[in-house]
Amino acid sequence: MARSDEAEAFFHAVYSAVQEIPYGKVTSYGHIAKLIGTPQRPRQVGVCLKHLPSDSAARFNHDNVPWQRVINAKGVVSPRSQPSGSLNQAAALEAEGVTVTTGALGELMVDFAEFGWFPRILPSEAAEGLTPHIDEEDE
């Protein structure tokens, strides 16, 4: 199904923002939503990443958008419909030097204090002199 112009713009914003997460760092779905000016849409950020094309010919794809660097607000790798999905994400993070631990309930976790990336503005927007989407009280 074709995406509306609004949906296409949202997917583009999400993928572009995720591309700015530094190697070896993680952030949350909610923080990406805040960075792109839609703080009420963290679940839609997850939907965008779920539908990231694997075709390397696509403008945004699994090879150029580091989807593995986005986890939930509790620092947990979100479960997937296929059990191997969260294990694949954990392995991709570990390959970047991110420590992934297993919680008491078997959840895969990352310490935001050590590996978190939570800027008030995207580096690309800061370089252009733009105003942050995130207020200091939102942090």
Side-chain angles (χ1 to χ4, degrees):
M1 180 167 81
R3 294 183 189 139
S4 69
D5 289 344
E6 179 183 4
E8 193 63 41
F10 186 77
F11 274 70
H12 185 278
V14 168
Y15 295 154
S16 295
V18 171
Q19 286 179 323
E20 296 194 44
I21 304 168
Y23 184 89
K25 295 292 182 182
V26 296
T27 197
S28 68
Y29 299 103
H31 196 72
I32 293 295
K34 287 178 185 178
L35 285 171
I36 64 171
T38 57
Q40 72 283 11
R41 297 178 73 183
R43 288 184 185 207
Q44 287 84 356
V45 169
V47 169
C48 290
L49 295 175
K50 178 181 178 180
H51 293 288
L52 183 64
S54 56
D55 179 2
S56 61
R59 178 175 183 185
F60 297 108
N61 60 68
H62 278 260
D63 295 328
N64 66 17
V65 177
W67 57 271
Q68 71 275 11
R69 298 179 190 159
V70 185
I71 60 178
N72 78 23
K74 295 179 182 177
V76 175
V77 174
S78 297
R80 308 287 193 295
S81 56
Q82 295 183 355
S84 62
S86 55
L87 294 173
N88 292 341
Q89 184 172 3
L93 289 170
E94 288 172 333
E96 294 188 13
V98 175
T99 302
V100 179
T101 59
T102 304
L105 300 175
E107 68 277 24
L108 300 171
M109 304 173 64
V110 175
D111 182 359
F112 279 140
E114 185 174 356
F115 299 103
W117 182 76
F118 296 95
R120 289 184 59 228
I121 186 170
L122 287 166
S124 62
E125 291 179 343
E128 294 177 21
L130 299 176
T131 306
H133 292 289
I134 300 174
D135 296 326
E136 288 183 33
E137 63 267 7
D138 288 342
E139 294 182 25

